[in-house]
Amino acid sequence: MASEVTYAEVKFKNAAPPPAETKVTLLKGTGGCEEHKALPQSSAEWHCVLGRAEEKGQVWTCCPMGWKHFQSSCYYFSIDTMNWSDSETNCTGMSSHLVVINTGTEQDFILNWIKRTVTSFQNKNYYIGLTDQAQEGQWHWVDQTPYNETAAFWRQGEPSNSKMENCAVMHVKTNANRKNWNDIPCSTTVNRICETDATRF
Ligand code: 2F8
């Protein structure tokens, strides 16, 4: 099991985002070390955590700066709003996809993060990567993960499965409980959550 001990900011020496496989420098690491490693995604800056994996020894786990790291993924919580299709396009443009929620712990991490940003009497909708646009009532995750009804977190009475409501959101209020998914019209403009694999090296 990995224990996380050190944080580092990784900055590319050129201002422009680098192409794939560009070498980066860890500016802060244990003992002030400098390491040069290749990262597979384009980002001007990275935030890395140094952990220990039994099979590999020291492992850096990195997310693009501004993304939140949880387990093996990085998450982007948007400030702006878009419809569902533009939201997914925006995520894929950042080498990610609308979030796919696989477990209760992932659901809780996301919910608790958003709750911190929501003030009393406010509520926010965030698109997730789940839609039944292709066939009414047949829910599909954007990354083709099989949809499992027993590992879904729909609000009571949802999905209402109206033909008008084919895209799923996480609906967050300060007192929201774990079961907070709702289906809304895909043309509605709301916030979004993108997810990508954390980069380990
Ligand atoms: O909870 C019932 C109903 O509430 C709203 O409609 C009034 C939701 N619509 C949006 O959030 C856009 C419905 O999706 C929901 O079923």
Side-chain angles (χ1 to χ4, degrees), residues 23 35 40 57 72 91:
K23 292 199 173 208
E35 295 182 25
S72 58
C91 292

Side-chain angles (χ1 to χ4, degrees), residues 115-197:
K115 265 189 182 177
R116 289 192 224 168
T117 70
V118 176
T119 53
S120 304
F121 308 115
Q122 205 188 14
N123 59 80
K124 273 186 179 173
N125 281 314
Y126 284 79
Y127 276 127
I128 63 175
L130 186 61
T131 178
D132 73 343
Q133 286 175 103
Q135 199 183 337
E136 186 57 38
Q138 299 292 308
W139 291 93
H140 288 284
W141 288 109
V142 287
D143 73 344
Q144 311 308 324
T145 294
Y147 172 69
N148 178 0
E149 182 74 51
T150 60
F153 300 94
W154 295 106
R155 195 169 72 199
Q156 195 173 15
E158 305 297 346
S160 44
N161 274 340
S162 124
K163 284 193 176 136
M164 301 294 294
E165 299 194 335
N166 298 325
C167 289
V169 291
M170 187 180 282
H171 179 230
V172 182
K173 300 183 279 189
T174 42
N175 61 350
N177 67 37
R178 198 184 214 195
K179 295 201 164 191
N180 62 2
W181 297 357
N182 181 29
D183 54 339
I184 66 170
C186 301
S187 57
T188 312
T189 56
V190 302
N191 296 95
R192 66 191 171 281
I193 307 163
C194 304
E195 179 183 11
T196 189
D197 289 340

